[in-house]
Amino acid sequence: MNFLCGKYQLNFNRPYVMGIVNVTPDSFSDGGKFASTDLAVEHALKLIAEGADILDIGGESTRPNAQPVSLDDELNRVIPVIEALSKISTVPISIDSYKPEVMRLAIAAGQIL
């Protein structure tokens, strides 16, 4: 079974590996190690080299009791990463957000899945 999404076609006859890039200073999974654009892009490229088929970019922590992030803060975190990765990689990118405006601008910024 194939799934067509924009310029990407995924064949679901095999599993895909999604690399997670948390661009947050308070990430529960990595402790905020990739909170800057440069570090996030470097981490994403490492994930691709290690076999990630898709990258998931997130700018707001989902850890318990995390404080909500403003729209501007989330955009300032994720959009530069998406723009940079879109210029140097052909790996599909997904955006981890519940905010419609972040989703819209992420799509405009790059190759969002």
Side-chain angles (χ1 to χ4, degrees), residues 48-60:
I48 293 168
E50 293 174 347
D53 299 301
I54 301 168
L55 295 173
D56 185 58
I57 313 298
E60 182 168 7

Side-chain angles (χ1 to χ4, degrees), residues 59-79:
E60 182 168 7
S61 178
T62 57
R63 70 174 170 71
N65 301 314
Q67 293 298 309
V69 173
S70 73
L71 174 64
D72 286 342
D73 283 347
E74 188 173 356
L75 289 171
N76 288 331
R77 292 174 182 176
V78 299
I79 298 303

Side-chain angles (χ1 to χ4, degrees), residues 78-80 82-84 86-87 103-112:
V78 299
I79 298 303
I82 293 167
E83 289 174 338
S86 294
K87 292 176 185 171
M103 294 175 205
R104 278 192 287 278
L105 292 173
I107 291 168
Q111 52 199 12
I112 299 301

